[in-house]
Amino acid sequence: MASEPSSGHTNLYRFVRRWLANPPGHHHHHLRRSASTGISTTYPARIIPRCPTSPPSSAQDGGGGRERLRDATMVLDVEGALLRSSSPSSSTFFPYLMLVAVEAGSFLRGFILLCVHLAASCLAPLLPEEARLRATVMACFFGLQERKVARVARATLPKHFLEDVGMEGHEAARAAKRVVAVSRAIPRVLVRPFLEDYLGFDAVVGREVKVVRGFYVGLLGKMMGEGRLGLEEDLDDGAPADMVGFGSGSGCSSSHGHHHLFSRCKEIYLVTPEEKRKWSPLPRDQYPKPLIFHDGRLAFRPTPEATLAMFLWLPFSLPLTIFRTFIFVTLPYPISVAIGSIAGVRTRVINPPVSNNTTTTPTGHAKPGDHQQPDDDRPKNTTGRLYVCNHRTLLDPIYISAMLNKKVSAVTYSVSRLTEWISPIPTIRLTRDRDEDRRRMERALQRGDLVVCPEGTTCREPYLLRFSPLSLELVDEVHLVALVNWSGMFYGNSTGRCKWLDSFYYFMNPRPAYDVQFMEKMPTRMVVDGKTCESKHVANMVQGEIGRVLGFECTKFTREKKYLALAGNKGVVDANQ
């Protein structure tokens, strides 16, 4: 049974509730500001100039380390103590605003935001940091739909935040019992999904952007958080003596960085800019939640310099993508691949087939010493080869066809009519009706070779989604192909409404690249320990073999789960787009 709250708990509850309920300025006379750090505090807080998990440099720094944080509630400055690239300047949050401007708006909005940022930077000696922040937020948010911004915050920004998290700051936050994150500059709507869903923080406090009837007006409001909905309860179990602050010495003294939650901390750890520059990025294998799905067109971190380079490249990329698409659609493969390499499209084939222009009837024999195949229940009348590959972009079957130097067919699902029309190879549209899809693929195999992507959707990260077993039931053996691609500026896949632009975006990259690796064929009719393997088990084996060659991790995620996570639908695209 829960015990009655102590007096310390009650005082903390009343303080947080009073602070969050009062307008800014109504409680400032209760606070005392530290002259050296700029942090307001009602207690004689002990300022410790180091990371909480770093060894103390002197006896005065205090000790305890992880043991001290084990039962503590940490008030964490997101920009100052979590993100590596943070600084007091507006360049800290510019990449995230640019992602919102481009992904939820357009490239025109992104260009306007870049111009506003450059102008504000030039006027930095005349304009305070708060004015520059409000100007860039206005240029980013004005007129955007609330639901579009929420989708970008959920599907696009977590990847860029994770790549910017410092390993040392994350270790300190993970050592604490509870974490209340305070975002001084980045609007709360952008940072909250990442901090709660990926890092598991208990509460997020940040500045809100005004919304009127579902559209942002771009006005930056006051600090808001989970307080009126439960922040008091989140902090109620932690007495003031158990609250620890963690921030940056330079960031906490900025003009917009008055963190009143720090006033309840008896100890405040401040990381110095010199120490923070030595922080390491958080390794992928230490992510609290694996980053498997993410969306958005921009494949780079849009810093002001990188964004300027992108806009300088755009006028050249538009005619270049049309030229690259034209040569791959109209010219024979040997000529198109050669011209494409001159135009910057790099293609590498590994273990090319010995004979590309012949088809063979499946032999039905497994490798000696591996598995055995049953002699009954074999598919009939299949003359073509079935190529099974992982799915990176819509161009996967075209690259396989080019490396084979012959026409093959490819199955598609929920792609636009324009994509099918410009495809240089025949396409077979699936319906997601198992019996009908089986008949369509059988007819395609009777006419020739067929390429199938059993994942059903693309995956950008080094993961493989669950393989559908349907295509493996049609033949006695499959030819495995492992694919890897690189996009330095734009992603060639998406979950948005303009999927018909996917291949064009891929060819807009300065130097797009593909690796096509042909693997040994694999039987689909196997007997292991005297039992015939079901098709779903064979699909798992095929997935595991391709994952082993690529070094990718196999998952059980499906197309439906991906689209529900990123787009809020099941991935059905209007064919007329």
Side-chain angles (χ1 to χ4, degrees), residues 496-533:
R497 293 183 56 85
C498 296
K499 288 184 64 63
W500 60 276
L501 290 173
D502 284 356
S503 59
F504 294 99
Y505 270 105
Y506 173 75
F507 283 130
M508 284 173 62
N509 286 285
R511 294 190 61 83
Y514 245 97
D515 279 3
V516 182
Q517 181 172 353
F518 290 92
M519 303 164 56
E520 293 185 7
K521 59 187 177 182
M522 183 174 179
T524 61
R525 301 288 192 262
M526 303 180 187
V527 177
V528 180
D529 296 331
K531 296 181 180 179
T532 302
C533 293

Side-chain angles (χ1 to χ4, degrees), residues 18-28 222-224 228 260:
R18 182 175 67 252
W19 177 80
L20 290 169
N22 290 337
H26 287 198
H27 53 280
H28 290 183
K222 61 182 181 179
M223 300 282 286
M224 297 291 291
R228 299 177 184 178
H260 303 298

